[in-house]
Amino acid sequence: MAAIDLNCDMGEGYGAWRMGDDEALAPLVTSMNVACGFHASDPGTMRRTVRLARRHGVAVGAHPSFPDRVGFGRRDLSATPDEVRDDVTYQIGALWAFCRAEGVALRHVKPHGALYNLAARDERLAAALCEAVRAVDPSLALVGLAGSPMQDVTRRAGVRWVGEAFADRAYAADGTLVPRRAAGAVIRDPAAVAERVARLAQEGRVVAVDGTELAVEAGTVCVHGDTEGAVELARAIRERLAREGIEVRAPVG
């Protein structure tokens, strides 16, 4: 039986500000990536999000970023590998503490935004992420762009790797994501998103914006919580996978 993990970035509000409908999304996903305070979130939001995961049996991962609330972690801050290592260690540790307090296992680490995209092609930053993961808990998996050089760096470092594909983001012909500022970078049609995820799970393939068919070895697929209509997208994916007999489950543990 084909199987895939469906993950979502959550806990990305702070204070009185909220982003995404975490309460509605949590029952529809099998893994969540919880913001750790640098691009979004705060201590209360982190605790509430971990509790939400526990309530629905969803695997919890840390979602560290550059320290960039103004840019929502989507700007390249030109951090050194040592800075990335220490910033990520700090963020994983913060979420680990809330997971421990709530009796929930921390399962993985998925970098956010610009840090994710840079580490996918910069081996020094990928190695810095691996250092942070090993320092906090060597059993944690590192989630990154499927097929990117980050995969080889992670495996050489002895860190468990989970390749990620995207349900709601367009791909360029080289396997990278189309920049968000480009037209069509975000896919909002539930039927199209559901078809894409079903094909990823069954065939390991996705179609790029120019029609190129890409082979993608992914253990998890992301639906962004801040995508317009994210709940409808996730629901359409689950319904399509159920019809196809595709199991939805967390890939690590």
Side-chain angles (χ1 to χ4, degrees):
M1 176 187 292
I4 197 73
D5 174 53
L6 187 61
N7 81 74
C8 187
D9 305 337
M10 294 190 181
E12 293 188 312
Y14 55 90
W17 182 69
R18 295 288 182 267
M19 173 177 281
D21 191 348
D22 289 358
E23 291 282 348
L25 281 165
L28 298 170
V29 300
T30 43
S31 295
M32 65 170 64
N33 319 300
V34 182
C36 301
F38 273 32
H39 74 282
S41 199
D42 55 40
T45 300
M46 292 167 74
R47 186 185 289 272
R48 286 192 300 273
T49 309
V50 169
R51 285 178 173 172
L52 182 65
R54 184 181 63 192
R55 187 187 320 150
H56 293 286
V58 176
V60 175
H63 198 37
S65 75
F66 288 133
D68 179 27
R69 287 203 179 201
V70 173
F72 197 63
R74 289 176 175 159
R75 299 183 294 185
D76 178 0
L77 298 192
S78 299
T80 67
D82 284 353
E83 289 169 336
V84 167
R85 177 200 62 209
D86 293 343
D87 283 351
V88 171
T89 300
Y90 181 98
Q91 292 174 83
I92 298 172
L95 186 64
W96 176 89
F98 282 110
C99 286
R100 183 176 176 84
E102 296 298 327
V104 173
L106 183 63
R107 305 270 290 273
H108 65 273
V109 176
K110 173 189 165 182
H112 167 81
L115 179 56
Y116 181 102
N117 292 325
L118 289 167
R121 59 180 184 268
D122 186 329
E123 295 193 2
R124 300 173 310 146
L125 297 186
L129 291 171
C130 292
E131 281 191 66
V133 168
R134 285 202 312 262
V136 177
D137 183 352
S139 72
L140 294 172
L142 187 57
V143 178
L145 184 65
S148 70
M150 182 180 173
Q151 173 176 319
D152 293 333
V153 174
T154 301
R155 288 175 171 166
R156 287 198 303 268
V159 173
R160 194 150 35 122
W161 167 259
V162 178
E164 181 179 42
F166 289 84
D168 55 359
R169 292 292 309 280
Y171 279 80
D174 64 357
T176 61
L177 300 180
V178 173
R180 281 182 174 270
R181 63 181 177 273
V186 179
I187 303 167
R188 297 183 173 88
D189 176 28
V193 166
E195 167 66 24
R196 166 181 277 196
V197 177
R199 190 170 186 210
L200 277 165
Q202 293 171 318
E203 302 176 20
R205 304 188 75 80
V206 67
V207 179
V209 289
D210 68 348
T212 301
E213 287 215 352
L214 304 172
V216 178
E217 184 181 346
T220 187
V221 177
C222 176
V223 174
H224 287 93
D226 62 334
T227 295
E228 182 181 347
V231 175
E232 289 72 24
L233 297 182
R235 187 172 293 120
I237 291 168
R238 291 303 299 262
E239 291 172 354
R240 175 63 183 269
L241 296 183
R243 289 200 303 272
E244 298 284 345
I246 299 168
E247 183 182 3
V248 185
R249 56 175 169 76
V252 295

